[in-house]
């Protein structure tokens, strides 16, 4: 969960520095404007990305180390 926060936070910094509109700036603006559907969509997207990364790591770890079985 900290990784998702780190990614969104770093996205905001990069978007702010290079004046590039993206998901981090969209999230900040949605929070300030209290636009709940956008906040919910970004939260669902972040959770889906976190679950996908965890599944990929589990598959990679079983491929690398055959002693692990699920």
């Amino acid at each position: 969960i900290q990784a998702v926060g780190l990614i969104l936070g770093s996205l905001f910094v990069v978007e702010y520095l290079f004046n590039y509109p993206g998901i981090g700036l969209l999230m900040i603006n949605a929070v300030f404007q209290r636009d709940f559907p956008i906040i919910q969509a970004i939260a669902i997207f972040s959770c889906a990305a976190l679950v996908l990364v965890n599944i990929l790591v589990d598959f990679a770890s079983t491929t690398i180390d055959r002693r692990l079985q699920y």
Side-chain angles (χ1 to χ4, degrees):
I1 294 176
Q2 290 178 350
V4 173
L6 178 66
I7 290 171
L8 284 178
S10 62
L11 281 177
F12 176 70
V13 170
V14 170
E15 292 168 4
Y16 184 76
L17 286 176
F18 294 110
N19 197 16
Y20 184 74
I23 198 167
L25 191 58
L26 178 67
M27 180 71 168
I28 298 298
N29 288 337
V31 168
F32 286 139
Q33 296 173 357
R34 295 187 179 155
D35 194 359
F36 293 112
I38 292 179
I39 295 169
Q40 289 174 343
I42 294 173
I44 290 172
F45 175 73
S46 300
C47 292
L50 180 68
V51 168
L52 183 66
V53 166
N54 282 334
I55 290 172
L56 290 174
V57 167
D58 284 342
F59 285 142
S61 65
T62 57
T63 303
I64 294 170
D65 190 3
R66 297 288 181 182
R67 295 177 293 173
L68 299 174
Q69 293 181 357
Y70 294 106

